[in-house]
Each structure stands twice: as C-alpha cells, then as structure tokens.
Amino acid sequence: MSEVKLTWVQGGQFVGVDSTKHSVVLSTGSDGTGVKPSDMLMIALAACSAVDVVNILEKKRQSLTGLEIRVEGQQEPDPPWAFRKIHVIYMVKGKGLSDKAVQQAIELSEEKYCSVSATLRGVAEITHSFEIVEEEK
C-alpha cells in the first residue's frame, strides 16, 4: 500500500509528501506558488508513462537520448471539472529509433504498466501521438 501526506501551509498553499519522503508544493491557481492539483494529475500521468517508455526502449536496445511529454487535458466546464479527454504527446529523441518500438513502448505503458493511466482510463478518453526527433550523429 502506498501512502502520501498533504499539509496545509497557508491560504491556498499545501505541501505534499510522497511515500518515499519527497515533497512538492501545490496551490490553487489564484495563489500561484505551486502546482495546481489538476495539473499534478496530468504531470503524474506523464511521469508514470515516461518511466515505462524509457525502460521499455532501453530493453529494446533503442538509442534513446531524450524524452519530453506534453499532456493536454479537456475538463468539464462545471464542478467538479472532471477530465473527459486527455491527449499525451511524446517527443522522443535518439539515434535510429524505430517507429514500431516507440509505438509499442507507449502502448505497453498506457495499456499494461502505468497505474495512473489505468486509473484514469475508465473516466477519461486517453489518446496519444508521438514524434521522433533524429539526433545528429
């Protein structure tokens, strides 16, 4: 079982501590001192998938030199502003990367390994796209 802790600091500021004792500052959008909780959810999705994609591509002996993930989330206009559509955009950088290997790594992450994706999948439609950037030799 995993356990996290959130402590209110003041106003709209909070500090979250994860199960490995790492911390992050969160805040309301109007407070502006930390990450918005709804944005943290999208960051968590990107991070969860990034760990998987890097691991899978390394196991496939792909020459990965960089990975950037952007996540675009479409929320309902009324409270509780649930996410209904999430699009994950992978920018994968390396030397001679295979389209097939990258696609498989992303699909394995989204469909089999990423706990955040598995949790969100029943609530929001998750799609993805990717671009491979060939690194100069």
Side-chain angles (χ1 to χ4, degrees):
M1 178 165 92
S2 193
E3 182 179 316
V4 301
K5 182 173 100 175
L6 183 81
T7 304
W8 174 54
V9 178
Q10 65 179 9
Q13 296 177 350
F14 303 85
V15 173
V17 180
D18 74 2
S19 59
T20 61
K21 308 295 183 225
H22 294 92
S23 61
V24 63
V25 176
L26 296 103
S27 68
T28 61
S30 60
D31 187 273
T33 58
V35 180
K36 285 176 31 182
S38 57
D39 287 352
M40 182 63 81
L41 182 66
M42 293 193 298
I43 291 169
L45 175 61
C48 182
S49 186
V51 169
D52 296 335
V53 169
V54 168
N55 189 19
I56 293 165
L57 289 176
E58 286 177 345
K59 285 181 179 175
K60 289 179 173 282
R61 293 180 168 35
Q62 295 291 298
S63 183
L64 180 68
T65 58
L67 175 63
E68 181 177 299
I69 300 175
R70 287 191 353 260
V71 181
E72 299 170 347
Q74 197 173 70
Q75 292 175 269
E76 292 291 341
D78 298 313
W81 305 284
F83 284 98
R84 292 297 172 222
K85 292 185 180 184
I86 298 172
H87 185 68
V88 185
I89 303 127
Y90 298 81
M91 182 72 67
V92 186
K93 186 176 180 182
K95 297 177 184 176
L97 294 172
S98 155
D99 278 1
K100 182 179 177 183
V102 170
Q103 179 68 31
Q104 286 177 337
I106 292 168
E107 287 175 357
L108 279 169
S109 174
E110 288 184 354
E111 297 169 12
K112 186 172 182 180
Y113 296 115
C114 177
S115 61
V116 178
S117 180
T119 302
L120 292 173
R121 192 174 22 253
V123 178
E125 174 189 348
I126 302 174
T127 58
H128 72 265
S129 59
F130 70 90
E131 180 180 340
I132 296 175
V133 177
E134 185 67 28
E135 185 172 271
E136 302 286 325
K137 298 198 186 293

